[in-house]
Amino acid sequence: MVPMRLHLPSQPTTVPPSPRKPLLAGVLSFLWPGLGQIYCGRFRRGVTLLSLAAAWQLLGIGAVETFDWWTTSLGALLLFALYAAWDAVRLARQLDDFRPGPRNTPQIYVACVALMLTVALVSGMAERWAFPVYVVAQTSMRPTLRSGDRLRCKALRPREVIRRGQLVVFQYPQEHSLIFVKRVVGLPGEVVEVAEGLVYVNGDPIDEGYYASGLEASRSLDMPPARLAPDEYYVMGDNRHASFDSRSYGPVNRARMLATPLYVMFSSGDDGEIYWDRIGLPAR
């Protein structure tokens, strides 16, 4: 009789130690706060930091409406990333005998990176839609704006009220691919006239202390009285004697108005010179 062989279950092999690399942990958490903690086996702490970073990007979009809040938000996010990196380095140095668990797999790391990239993409698209950036390419708005100013703007909602004196970014009526920025001087239903360099609304001159006029008025810049339609606005440049505006192409329809400038986020000349004194200036 042949004896039967018993097949006993094999003993589970012990996962060999895999010390965590402090530099790698720090870099991971600086790029994606929390990923370095997950790399070090602190899954709950890592997910918490990742969630805070994601919420910071999504909820902090509104901070760009003012230059001070925008820079403060960026600085705070940088400090948060530095803290996460420091914490990850500290953890890694304590794990000489670390053994990877089921949550220390490439799939988990890739999923975390994909999540943060998705959040960054969504927040970037939302910010670009709500707070678009336009570059000034003309001198018609001097001294308020200058060529090379990069403007952070706020998108205009369809029913948002537009007031006299407000700066607006709009599509050129005859060619919608061209984007201009001017100042509103005439509102729907008003009678607008430009005579000897002065703007008259319903027969009365309006106060325009915001534009520069270093030259004498020219009749070529004047316009006879015209009544605006219920959805039309009359726009002009602050530098009246070098401005291509409603005096040439007529009023602008409300549907063509895209945004209102908030502040200068960057400014440079054609030669690449950066105008540091203009960065952060409100666009009014």
Side-chain angles (χ1 to χ4, degrees):
M1 184 174 180
V2 179
M4 297 180 62
R5 295 182 179 179
L6 298 178
H7 296 278
L8 299 176
S10 59
Q11 296 295 326
T13 57
T14 303
V15 178
S18 178
R20 303 288 86 177
K21 299 178 181 179
L23 179 59
L24 177 59
V27 171
L28 289 175
S29 269
F30 180 77
L31 297 176
W32 295 284
L35 187 56
Q37 282 73 10
I38 294 176
Y39 167 73
C40 292
R42 301 300 190 267
F43 187 78
R44 182 176 298 178
R45 183 185 300 186
V47 169
T48 299
L49 293 176
L50 281 172
S51 300
L52 289 174
W56 205 312
Q57 291 188 53
L58 291 173
L59 300 179
I61 294 174
V64 304
E65 188 164 346
T66 63
F67 182 77
D68 291 341
W69 274 110
W70 177 52
T71 54
T72 300
S73 178
L74 288 179
L77 184 59
L78 175 61
L79 291 177
F80 179 69
L82 290 173
Y83 164 76
W86 169 82
D87 183 65
V89 170
R90 181 182 61 85
L91 285 173
R93 289 175 175 172
Q94 301 172 358
L95 300 174
D96 294 334
D97 195 36
F98 178 80
R99 287 173 169 78
R103 292 173 175 172
N104 291 103
T105 62
Q107 292 83 355
I108 295 293
Y109 302 147
V110 171
C112 292
V113 172
L115 173 64
M116 294 306 296
L117 288 177
T118 301
V119 170
L121 179 62
V122 171
S123 62
M125 292 176 61
E127 180 179 322
R128 184 171 181 176
W129 173 80
F131 298 96
V133 176
Y134 295 98
V135 180
V136 179
Q138 311 96 10
T139 60
S140 63
M141 287 302 298
R142 282 180 175 269
T144 307
L145 305 175
R146 63 174 299 159
S147 179
D149 283 350
R150 186 175 295 269
L151 303 175
R152 173 82 72 184
C153 303
K154 183 178 181 180
L156 288 169
R157 298 186 297 273
R159 296 187 178 182
E160 186 170 347
V161 176
I162 296 178
R163 296 175 172 82
R164 192 187 328 277
Q166 181 176 342
L167 295 180
V168 290
V169 177
F170 60 93
Q171 297 171 323
Y172 176 48
Q174 278 70 47
E175 178 54 62
H176 298 162
S177 63
L178 298 178
I179 306 299
F180 290 168
V181 55
K182 305 291 180 187
R183 191 181 299 276
V184 173
V185 297
L187 303 177
E190 295 181 337
V191 176
V192 181
E193 176 186 4
V194 182
E196 297 183 355
L198 296 178
V199 177
Y200 293 82
V201 174
N202 297 331
D204 298 322
I206 62 175
D207 181 19
E208 292 192 291
Y210 41 71
Y211 77 88
S213 181
L215 302 175
E216 294 183 0
S218 171
R219 291 188 178 275
S220 63
L221 300 177
D222 294 347
M223 188 203 76
R227 182 176 294 276
L228 301 177
D231 58 351
E232 290 182 339
Y233 294 80
Y234 204 84
V235 298
M236 298 178 68
D238 288 359
N239 187 10
R240 295 292 159 80
H241 299 279
S243 177
F244 180 61
D245 49 37
S246 285
R247 290 169 295 178
S248 301
Y249 48 75
V252 178
N253 190 280
R254 177 63 175 82
R256 298 303 171 193
M257 294 188 172
L258 306 176
T260 183
L262 296 174
Y263 53 84
V264 179
M265 60 181 301
F266 188 75
S267 184
S268 62
D270 295 335
D271 56 356
E273 180 184 0
I274 299 176
Y275 302 114
W276 297 101
D277 58 326
R278 296 194 58 79
I279 297 177
L281 289 179
R284 296 172 181 161

